[in-house]
Amino acid sequence: MKYEVVIGLEVHVQLKTLSKIFCSCSTEFGRPPNANTCPICLGMPGVLPVMNKKVVEYAIKACLATHCEVQTTSRFARKNFFYPDMPKGYQITQFELPIGLNGYINIETDGTPKKIGLTRIHLEEDAGKSIHGENLGRPGRSYVDYNRTGVPLVEIVSEPDLRSPAEAREYLAQLKAILDYAEVSDVNMEEGSLRCDANVSLRPVGQAEFGTRTELKNINSFKFVQKALEYEIERQAKVLNQGDKVVQETRLYDSDKGVTFPMRSKEEAHDYRYFPEPDLVPTVCDAAWIDSIRQSLPEMPEAKRDRFVSAYEIPEYDAGVLITSKALADYFETSVKLLNKPKTVSNWIMGDLLKELKNDDKEIDECPVTPERLTDLLKLIDDGTISGKMAKTVFEDMYQSGKPPAEIVKAKGLTQITDESALAKMVEDVIAANPGQAEDFKNGKDKLMGFFVGQVMQASKGQANPALVNKLIKEKLSS
Amino acid sequence: MSSDSFDIEKIALLARLKLTEEEQLRLGRQFEGILQHIDQLNQLDTENVEPTSHVLPLQNVFREDEVKTLFEDGKYLSLAPRQDKDHYEVPQII
């Protein structure tokens, strides 16, 4: 049986405010456990939440950046359930009246563009972090750190429009870029400021109704989103092919084993008993407020890509790579301002620079080579001081040592030999050492050019200017 | 005790309450009364009445995004019934 895959993603994004959503505690990551807490986020009796204005602004920004309709009136609700990481016994979230509805983002996989619908964007508070006792040397108990409790989140819910794990991954990448550009979140999956749950089901090709879905949780990287979905799709197909039914359940992804497994089901089905949060008043976003935020919205990734292609005349592929993060796009533009050779700059960024960063698992803003240093290096190629091949070695050194390119070139004695008389001597020596080949070349065996250039380069330890060597060999052998 | 409209055991479970049989009976009767009262309210025509989520006609009560520390670190933790290694200790989860 041939199945069609149906995927919808729920993405939780931490907004980058300084303080929490309903109290003035810091949201700083990496503080000692329970340092960022107060009676409000700890859910002490009698405390009152007060909405952080910046959270609403960021949420409106996130809505505008994803083409969602910002709702004039939105309201908070209590979602009731008991779990130790949520001290109040309920989570304050938006239910019936979320802040944003009916958006979309554009994705492209294998050159095919597609619009992915967004059902809604709503605001909520994050929960704390539970630690199993084993990890603290106390099996049989659990421990809770409430630093994250009350950190502002937007949950972005997609329509079930995704049809493959690759599309899901691309959707997530685009969403991440958009939120990064809008400057509403750090979108860091490792630090948990971007988290993804996936709903996935299969249906026979041509069938209109959806099949039974499972929800995958605990997916904390782009790669894992794709891998977890691929595994789950295969698992469901196997179940269906055996004539069995897929059980609707929540499953966790184990990235070490590369499998999904059912989360132990709770004793009873969830019954959240949502009701309007009486401690918070409705949020009203009028047109003037929304417009002023729209004005402040920076250039979004799609617009930037189009501009890069037209303004810098670089291929669409290059532009697509360069815009994946705002910091990378800025790095490119700063470099081009310093050296107006967009395609050369793009090649170096996409090649050597991203390769080194990837090896080091670093982001562009942690790159030891600044745009100034990179373009200084490229200028050394331009003025003939070093060859392109030498530049690659210098780049590696620059990346490791953080030293300016000219200093490395000097220290390594890498300067290209452009002294014509010195090179002429080397060329003559090579010809003298290979009289047979020289004769063949003179008799029309042009292919031997490469051989001679290679010999001279070897003799000069790679420092000869190749263009000059070519010229000299031709001169000597045609006379 | 159970009625057609609710299951007292489930409600107790959702609220994490352990009830004796006597309490189940007594609270069940009270709950029945509450629901009857709501049934009575439901007879009113509220077709054109906006649902009330807040009793005061307020909107957009905000605070600025500023960090303030009320008490030094660890103040609240020391009040917890059980704590260890800067964490609140709770019965094992899963």
Side-chain angles (χ1 to χ4, degrees), chain A residues 320-437:
Chain A
V321 174
L322 294 170
I323 58 134
T324 42
S325 82
K326 187 170 181 295
L328 188 64
D330 288 348
Y331 189 102
F332 169 73
E333 286 210 281
T334 310
S335 304
V336 172
K337 273 196 196 108
L338 296 165
L339 179 72
N340 191 18
K341 288 194 156 185
K343 180 58 185 156
T344 308
V345 171
S346 160
N347 286 345
W348 275 84
I349 293 178
M350 295 197 307
D352 298 73
L353 191 123
L354 286 183
K355 193 184 79 197
E356 293 286 350
L357 288 174
K358 203 179 167 198
N359 284 345
D360 264 10
D361 208 10
K362 274 189 176 158
E363 296 293 324
I364 183 76
D365 44 16
E366 301 164 286
C367 181
V369 179
T370 61
E372 287 78 13
R373 294 274 164 87
L374 175 67
T375 48
D376 282 350
L377 175 69
L378 302 186
K379 285 173 190 164
L380 291 177
I381 308 175
D382 275 2
D383 66 16
T385 310
I386 55 172
S387 67
K389 204 174 166 195
M390 288 176 192
K392 287 190 180 290
T393 323
V394 177
F395 183 85
E396 275 171 35
D397 202 326
M398 265 164 72
Y399 185 91
Q400 297 304 332
S401 67
K403 285 183 191 148
E407 198 177 298
I408 295 166
V409 167
K410 206 175 159 197
K412 289 198 161 179
L414 280 176
T415 321
Q416 226 173 189
I417 302 170
T418 47
D419 174 357
E420 205 166 325
S421 58
L423 282 181
K425 171 85 177 62
M426 284 186 206
V427 171
E428 278 161 18
D429 289 351
V430 166
I431 292 171
N434 301 282
Q437 280 91 340

Side-chain angles (χ1 to χ4, degrees), chain A residues 165-177:
Chain A
E167 280 188 12
R169 183 182 178 146
E170 181 58 18
Y171 165 85
L172 203 57
Q174 287 305 322
L175 186 61
K176 180 181 161 164

Side-chain angles (χ1 to χ4, degrees), chain A residues 25-75:
Chain A
C25 285
S26 167
T27 54
E28 191 187 334
F29 183 80
R31 297 277 328 270
N34 294 299
N36 300 344
T37 59
C38 78
I40 295 172
C41 53
L42 289 174
M44 297 290 178
V47 297
L48 276 178
V50 185
M51 186 71 198
N52 182 340
K53 191 176 183 189
K54 199 94 200 168
V55 170
V56 183
E57 288 176 6
Y58 281 163
I60 293 173
K61 229 175 182 181
C63 289
L64 295 174
T66 53
H67 313 282
C68 279
E69 297 153 11
V70 179
Q71 302 302 292
T72 310
T73 304
S74 56
R75 197 169 63 192

Side-chain angles (χ1 to χ4, degrees), chain A residues 153-429:
Chain A
L153 300 178
V154 281
E155 180 173 337
I156 302 171
V157 183
S158 88
E159 290 284 295
D161 287 347
L162 300 158
R163 291 290 172 272
S164 71
E167 280 188 12
R169 183 182 178 146
E170 181 58 18
Y171 165 85
L172 203 57
Q174 287 305 322
L175 186 61
K176 180 181 161 164
I178 288 169
L179 297 168
D180 173 35
Y181 276 62
E183 295 176 325
V184 297
S185 172
D186 292 330
V187 289
N188 184 329
M189 282 191 109
E190 282 68 42
E191 286 184 7
S193 57
L194 186 114
R195 306 195 286 269
C196 175
D197 299 338
N199 288 304
V200 54
S201 65
L202 301 184
R203 64 180 168 190
V205 171
Q207 182 182 301
E209 324 65 272
F210 293 134
T212 307
R213 67 185 161 88
T214 57
E215 186 181 4
L216 305 183
K217 283 189 181 284
N218 207 24
I219 327 175
N220 55 10
S221 86
F222 284 83
K223 197 174 75 190
F224 293 157
V225 169
Q226 188 162 351
K227 291 231 180 294
L229 283 167
E230 280 165 359
Y231 175 87
E232 181 60 15
I233 288 161
E234 207 172 295
R235 189 192 69 85
Q236 287 189 14
K238 214 178 271 174
V239 169
L240 293 171
N241 285 336
Q242 285 167 355
D244 292 335
K245 285 194 169 108
V246 171
V247 181
Q248 184 168 344
E249 63 188 353
T250 302
R251 298 175 70 88
L252 295 178
Y253 179 63
D254 181 332
S255 55
D256 292 334
K257 298 195 184 102
V259 300
T260 68
F261 61 94
M263 215 167 118
R264 210 177 77 172
S265 60
K266 303 263 165 72
E267 285 153 38
E268 80 280 358
H270 279 307
D271 184 350
Y272 293 130
R273 296 149 293 148
Y274 285 97
F275 63 88
E277 167 57 80
D279 288 343
L280 289 163
V281 300
T283 309
V284 176
C285 307
D286 59 22
W289 194 13
I290 298 170
D291 274 346
S292 74
I293 292 170
R294 198 191 304 274
Q295 301 300 326
S296 74
L297 209 60
E299 183 183 40
M300 287 291 114
E302 277 184 331
K304 202 182 279 284
R305 189 187 56 201
D306 294 347
R307 183 169 61 81
F308 277 14
V309 170
S310 59
Y312 299 120
E313 293 173 341
I314 55 172
E316 230 169 85
Y317 174 81
D318 292 37
V321 174
L322 294 170
I323 58 134
T324 42
S325 82
K326 187 170 181 295
L328 188 64
D330 288 348
Y331 189 102
F332 169 73
E333 286 210 281
T334 310
S335 304
V336 172
K337 273 196 196 108
L338 296 165
L339 179 72
N340 191 18
K341 288 194 156 185
K343 180 58 185 156
T344 308
V345 171
S346 160
N347 286 345
W348 275 84
I349 293 178
M350 295 197 307
D352 298 73
L353 191 123
L354 286 183
K355 193 184 79 197
E356 293 286 350
L357 288 174
K358 203 179 167 198
N359 284 345
D360 264 10
D361 208 10
K362 274 189 176 158
E363 296 293 324
I364 183 76
D365 44 16
E366 301 164 286
C367 181
V369 179
T370 61
E372 287 78 13
R373 294 274 164 87
L374 175 67
T375 48
D376 282 350
L377 175 69
L378 302 186
K379 285 173 190 164
L380 291 177
I381 308 175
D382 275 2
D383 66 16
T385 310
I386 55 172
S387 67
K389 204 174 166 195
M390 288 176 192
K392 287 190 180 290
T393 323
V394 177
F395 183 85
E396 275 171 35
D397 202 326
M398 265 164 72
Y399 185 91
Q400 297 304 332
S401 67
K403 285 183 191 148
E407 198 177 298
I408 295 166
V409 167
K410 206 175 159 197
K412 289 198 161 179
L414 280 176
T415 321
Q416 226 173 189
I417 302 170
T418 47
D419 174 357
E420 205 166 325
S421 58
L423 282 181
K425 171 85 177 62
M426 284 186 206
V427 171
E428 278 161 18
D429 289 351

Side-chain angles (χ1 to χ4, degrees), chain B residues 41-92:
Chain B
L41 292 175
N42 274 341
Q43 287 164 22
L44 289 170
D45 178 12
T46 55
E47 189 64 34
N48 297 310
V49 182
E50 175 94 357
T52 304
S53 64
H54 199 277
V55 289
L56 300 172
L58 290 171
Q59 62 190 42
N60 292 1
V61 176
F62 295 133
R63 36 169 272 273
E64 294 305 315
D65 182 28
E66 289 164 0
V67 174
K68 287 178 196 153
T69 311
L70 282 180
F71 296 106
E72 78 274 22
D73 296 355
K75 177 84 178 172
Y76 312 106
L77 190 66
S78 66
L79 302 172
R82 292 187 75 114
Q83 33 118 340
D84 193 13
K85 299 181 195 295
D86 294 335
H87 286 80
Y88 292 84
E89 190 179 302
V90 295
Q92 191 173 21

